[in-house]
Amino acid sequence: MTIRILLADDQHLVRSALAALLELEDDFQVVATVSRGDEVVEAARASHPDVALLDIEMPGLDGLAAAAVLTSQVSSCRVAILTTFGRPGYLRRAMDAGALGFVVKDAPAEQLADAVRRVARGEHAVDPALAAATLTGGTSPLTPRERDVLASARSGSTVAEIADRLYLSAGTVRNYLSNAMAKTGARNRHEAVRIAETNGWI
Amino acid sequence: MTIRILLADDQHLVRSALAALLELEDDFQVVATVSRGDEVVEAARASHPDVALLDIEMPGLDGLAAAAVLTSQVSSCRVAILTTFGRPGYLRRAMDAGALGFVVKDAPAEQLADAVRRVARGEHAVDPALAAATLTGGTSPLTPRERDVLASARSGSTVAEIADRLYLSAGTVRNYLSNAMAKTGARNRHEAVRIAETNGWI
DNA sequence: AGATCGCCGTGACATTTGTCATGAGTAGTG
DNA sequence: CACTACTCATGACAAATGTCACGGCGATCT
């Protein structure tokens, strides 16, 4: 029985290459490929895939959000996340979104094939090492608002700009940033951003 | 006549997938794959490829540096860069390193195949739009030292740390950062880092 | 030889950032 | 209900950051 696959990745070449790789397996068939998160659901409705393989970094809608929509709206399609970064917070959010599989792009090809088959059967497929890391350091210490402020501080904005953007006072923004820095153990806001990013908290 | 290809990319899955994609072409043969920049030359010596397809972001030695070594030491092997980011500075540095081809991972598969064939014949293969962008905004306004300081400021280091690392006084570091900020039009060092990164200047 | 440019440094200054104490309002929990 | 946690705010203070003016040194170009 062949497994019908939907592939979502924003990089054209990677998309084609992964399709070629998957098609090498006799029981796999790539029935749809999309480049944007907000095209996933429509494509899934049209092509009835068994498994959707979603990258996280995508324009329109990120893979985690797309996974959440997909699992709730197209229940016949199981979801696996395929991403560059094995960040604990990503795995947690992927599970919360209803994804069964989680594979990093650094994994060997057999592991991807294995994960797809497991997910198609409704089983979970997660790298044990990453799962362990997620259990220990995976839960974000940040409150929702701290997360917002930190996310808004990403591209080197000043306090005033962040305050404007979030309709807060400058002092409040600095307090939140200070809290976030304390919780992440960073010595300035930018280090805090980096840490939060590598953990998948923002 | 088949074209022998060496493939260098740090992500295992992407490497395998690209190999699968390239093997679909009758005249391509992937003769070696490596995951680190510092393994490129050795692999090229052992497997005599016609074309080396190098990612830029790699551990050990980045693809641009590997390209430079390769073109000087294994002259029978032409070089093409295959990277996620179409940054003007990257293209410029790739050309300086002796690469003939430059393909972004967002390009369609045919473009990659076309580029490989051109490069194998000793021709250049560069996306015209990117080439134009490089001509206008490609040259870095930063002096070598400003570049060093800015690169060292990346991960949220303080002035004192940068000064220590580069054996400079704190004042000098701040002056260089100030210059870099003025030249990039940034309002703080972290914005300057971001701008320099997206342009491939660091 | 003089001009120019990059490199490295100092010192002074205004601004921004990070820390801390404090408090009011709101929501959820035992 | 008391307790706790989150949100938002203010004000004051120390430290870090960014700006500016200035000077000496060496290399390069004309």
Side-chain angles (χ1 to χ4, degrees):
Chain A
M1 199 205 93
T2 72
I3 298 173
R4 300 168 60 83
I5 300 174
L6 179 152
L7 200 52
D9 192 302
D10 61 330
Q11 296 182 322
H12 194 153
L13 213 38
V14 175
R15 215 160 60 235
S16 307
L18 282 172
L21 181 70
L22 291 167
E23 293 275 8
L24 292 181
E25 308 283 327
D26 291 336
D27 53 341
F28 288 176
Q29 188 185 358
V30 177
V31 295
T33 66
V34 300
S35 63
R36 303 174 49 87
D38 48 16
E39 292 169 354
V40 168
V41 170
E42 194 185 331
R45 284 228 174 80
S47 58
H48 302 291
D50 300 307
V51 176
L53 215 45
L54 309 180
D55 190 11
I56 292 185
E57 289 81 21
M58 278 190 293
L61 195 68
D62 74 46
L64 295 169
V69 182
L70 197 55
T71 50
S72 73
Q73 306 223 343
V74 188
S75 58
S76 65
C77 177
R78 329 252 199 207
V79 173
I81 298 293
L82 174 59
T83 180
T84 302
F85 306 104
R87 298 174 176 168
Y90 277 2
L91 174 53
R92 177 167 297 274
R93 286 199 266 161
M95 294 296 116
D96 290 349
L100 292 177
F102 193 97
V103 182
V104 292
K105 286 188 182 170
D106 198 31
E110 306 82 51
Q111 195 169 314
L112 174 62
D114 181 56
V116 169
R117 293 197 185 93
R118 292 173 97 88
V119 169
R121 288 197 300 268
E123 300 170 20
H124 281 272
V126 176
D127 178 46
L130 181 58
T134 303
L135 288 177
T136 65
T139 37
S140 170
L142 304 174
T143 68
R145 216 52 178 143
E146 284 162 3
R147 186 201 156 281
D148 291 345
V149 173
L150 202 55
S152 187
R154 270 206 273 234
S155 35
S157 312
T158 66
V159 167
E161 288 168 348
I162 301 170
D164 274 8
R165 201 155 31 208
L166 295 164
Y167 304 103
L168 293 175
S169 82
T172 303
V173 169
R174 286 196 296 171
N175 286 340
Y176 280 143
L177 286 175
S178 192
N179 288 344
M181 287 159 58
K183 287 179 178 177
T184 54
R187 281 191 322 288
N188 56 54
R189 74 181 62 175
H190 304 281
E191 212 178 23
V193 166
R194 252 181 34 77
I195 292 172
E197 275 178 345
T198 60
N199 282 308
W201 296 337
I202 56 178
Chain B
M1 201 204 93
T2 71
I3 299 173
R4 299 167 61 84
I5 300 175
L6 180 153
L7 200 53
D9 192 303
D10 62 329
Q11 296 183 322
H12 195 151
L13 215 38
V14 175
R15 215 160 60 236
S16 307
L18 282 171
L21 182 71
L22 291 167
E23 293 277 6
L24 292 181
E25 307 283 327
D26 292 335
D27 53 340
F28 289 176
Q29 186 186 0
V30 177
V31 295
T33 65
V34 300
S35 62
R36 304 174 49 86
D38 47 15
E39 292 169 353
V40 168
V41 171
E42 195 187 330
R45 283 227 174 81
S47 59
H48 303 289
D50 301 308
V51 176
L53 215 46
L54 309 180
D55 190 11
I56 291 185
E57 289 81 21
M58 277 191 294
L61 195 69
D62 74 47
L64 296 169
V69 181
L70 198 55
T71 48
S72 72
Q73 307 223 342
V74 188
S75 58
S76 66
C77 177
R78 329 253 199 206
V79 174
I81 298 292
L82 174 60
T83 182
T84 303
F85 306 104
R87 297 172 177 169
Y90 277 3
L91 174 53
R92 177 167 296 274
R93 286 199 267 160
M95 294 296 117
D96 289 347
L100 292 177
F102 194 98
V103 183
V104 293
K105 286 188 181 169
D106 198 32
E110 307 80 52
Q111 195 169 312
L112 174 63
D114 181 56
V116 169
R117 293 198 184 92
R118 291 173 97 86
V119 168
R121 288 197 301 268
E123 300 171 18
H124 282 272
V126 175
D127 177 46
L130 181 58
T134 303
L135 287 178
T136 64
T139 37
S140 170
L142 304 174
T143 69
R145 217 51 179 146
E146 284 163 4
R147 185 200 157 279
D148 291 345
V149 173
L150 202 54
S152 187
R154 270 204 272 231
S155 35
S157 311
T158 66
V159 168
E161 288 168 347
I162 301 170
D164 273 10
R165 204 158 25 211
L166 283 88
Y167 304 104
L168 292 175
S169 82
T172 304
V173 169
R174 285 195 295 170
N175 285 340
Y176 280 143
L177 287 175
S178 192
N179 288 344
M181 288 159 58
K183 287 178 179 179
T184 54
R187 280 188 324 288
N188 55 53
R189 75 181 63 177
H190 304 280
E191 212 177 24
V193 166
R194 252 182 35 75
I195 292 171
E197 275 178 346
T198 59
N199 282 308
W201 295 337
I202 57 177

